[in-house]
Structures are given as C-alpha cells and as structure tokens.
Amino acid sequence: MAHCEHHDPAAESVDTVISRMRALDGALPARDGIAVFNRVYLAVTEAVGRGIGTGRFPDARAASALDVRFAERYLAAVDAAGRDDPPPACWRPLFQFRRHPQVRPLQFALAGVNAHIGHDLALAVVDTCRALGCEPADLEDEFERVGDLLVTLEERVREELTPGPDLLRIADPLAHLLGCWSLERARDGAWAAARALWALRRLPELAGEFADRLDTAAGFAGRLLLTPLPAWAR
C-alpha cells in the first residue's frame, strides 16, 4: 500500500487537540451534554495518541494527520457555538439539548459519536488526503485502526452509562434508542462517504450537496437519539 508523502505543517498536533479537549472538560459542568461527549472523545484521542507513540499505526504521520483533522471538526463546532454561530446540522441537536434534564448521559454520548462519525469522519478523510497529497486507500489502515478504538470505546461507554438490567427492562424507550444506532454501521457508511466525496472532488457543487445531505441525515439521527425520556424511564 502506498503511503501519504507530504507533511501537513498547518495541522495542529494530537497533543494540542488533547489539550483543547482537556480544557473543555475542566470548563464545562459534568452533566452538560457536550461535556459528556467530550469525555468520551478525549479518551479516544488519548488512546490514538498512545497508539501513535507505540507504533500501532502503519503510518504514524498519516494517523496523526487524520486524528487531528477529525478532532478539528468537532472543536470547530464547539467554537462556532461559543460565538453563537450555528454549528453544522449534525451537531445542532446536541447543542440544543445539552442541558435537557430528561436526556440521559448515554444519549448525549451516542449523539455526539453519531454526529462525529456520521458526518465529520468522511470529511476528515478528504481533508487529510488533500493536506497530505494521498488517496483514501492510502489511509485505510489508519482509518480501520482508529475505528477499532472507537468500537472498543463505544462498548465501554454503553457499559458505564447504561442503567442496570432491571432498570433497562423498565426503561423501554431507552432500550429502543440504544438498539437503533450502530457505530459499526456508521463507520462503514463514513468510509463509503469519504470515497464518494473524493471521487466527486472535481465536481465541487455535487460534492457540497452530498456533504450537506450527510450533515442533515446525521442531524436527524442525533435528534432521535436525544429524544427526552419520561422520568420513569430515566
């Protein structure tokens, strides 16, 4: 497999985006929906940073570039919301519902993962290819290893934030929501979308329309994941 050849001097480092996420973690109330997702994503990014340091990725430079470009899209949404500018459609439900008392922490976490995988990941692959002068196929190993970390983390999140079995049987609405979304399917969709966007790169109007559709679809799914639950289901 060919590897990316060009360094991307403009990108932040993995350590820099980790520092930005840690600062957010310290600044936000623990129950805030953005804080819940941020803790999840911080753990993933720290794991990627460790993996890069220990040689887990075949091309450490490409893995770092992909990780940073991916994180920058989430951080840009946070920055936009901080300026009272509308974030991308995929992120709007999480920012709108972030303080809703009838939304569980697990819902916040999965809604953030949905936005980031369902929209941002495909665009981050394209961003990275443009920056490093390579093709999506050159990033496939790095994409898969980051995806494996995300799946492992999703399992941990579900274990930590899901109510016990007895409560979950009572909380049918939450059980239903949990069964409606899969990170594996979202990751497969992101890779297909990245390849499609790359193929459309010389047709910017069509590529933009495709990206907008991704954004809208992820936002719709996020709104469903954040359906407020009645008190007895929480």
Side-chain angles (χ1 to χ4, degrees):
M1 183 187 75
H3 288 299
C4 302
E5 298 178 356
H6 304 293
H7 180 59
D8 177 13
E12 299 179 80
S13 69
V14 175
D15 287 343
T16 300
V17 295
I18 287 173
S19 294
R20 292 181 66 189
M21 289 182 213
R22 286 176 177 164
L24 272 174
D25 187 49
L28 294 173
R31 184 61 175 74
D32 182 286
I34 302 301
V36 173
F37 169 72
N38 189 77
R39 287 194 294 274
V40 171
Y41 192 30
L42 174 58
V44 172
T45 308
E46 289 172 338
V48 171
R50 289 192 296 272
I52 291 170
T54 58
R56 175 170 183 160
F57 296 92
D59 186 335
R61 184 179 61 184
S64 178
L66 176 59
D67 186 63
V68 168
R69 293 289 179 174
F70 191 28
E72 284 173 341
R73 288 195 166 268
Y74 157 63
L75 293 168
V78 173
D79 290 344
R83 297 189 302 267
D84 290 327
D85 293 335
C90 61
W91 287 106
R92 281 174 210 160
L94 185 55
F95 282 96
Q96 289 168 351
F97 285 78
R98 63 192 291 183
R99 297 181 182 90
H100 199 297
Q102 290 181 287
V103 177
R104 291 192 59 85
L106 178 59
Q107 293 174 263
F108 289 136
L110 292 185
V113 174
N114 165 73
H116 209 33
I117 303 295
H119 173 260
D120 293 354
L121 183 53
L123 273 67
V125 170
V126 174
D127 291 343
T128 305
C129 288
R130 290 185 185 280
L132 300 185
C134 62
E135 301 279 330
D138 300 325
L139 295 176
E140 189 167 6
D141 285 346
E142 289 68 36
F143 181 96
E144 289 297 328
R145 281 164 174 76
V146 170
D148 290 344
L149 287 172
L150 288 166
V151 170
T152 301
L153 189 76
E154 186 206 18
E155 293 169 355
R156 195 180 88 188
V157 166
R158 287 179 183 262
E159 289 172 2
E160 291 180 0
L161 298 182
T162 301
D166 291 340
L167 180 56
L168 193 58
R169 278 198 294 272
I170 297 170
D172 286 340
L174 180 58
H176 176 73
L177 286 173
L178 296 181
C180 289
W181 190 84
S182 161
L183 191 146
E184 286 275 15
R185 290 196 298 269
R187 183 177 69 168
D188 290 346
W191 182 245
R195 293 175 63 201
L197 283 167
W198 187 250
L200 293 171
R201 67 192 182 280
R202 294 184 180 89
L203 300 169
E205 184 175 342
L206 191 55
E209 182 178 340
F210 184 85
D212 288 343
R213 298 288 183 181
L214 280 181
D215 194 18
T216 300
F220 180 72
R223 192 166 186 87
L224 292 177
L225 286 168
L226 292 169
T227 300
L229 301 177
W232 58 265
R234 296 186 290 113

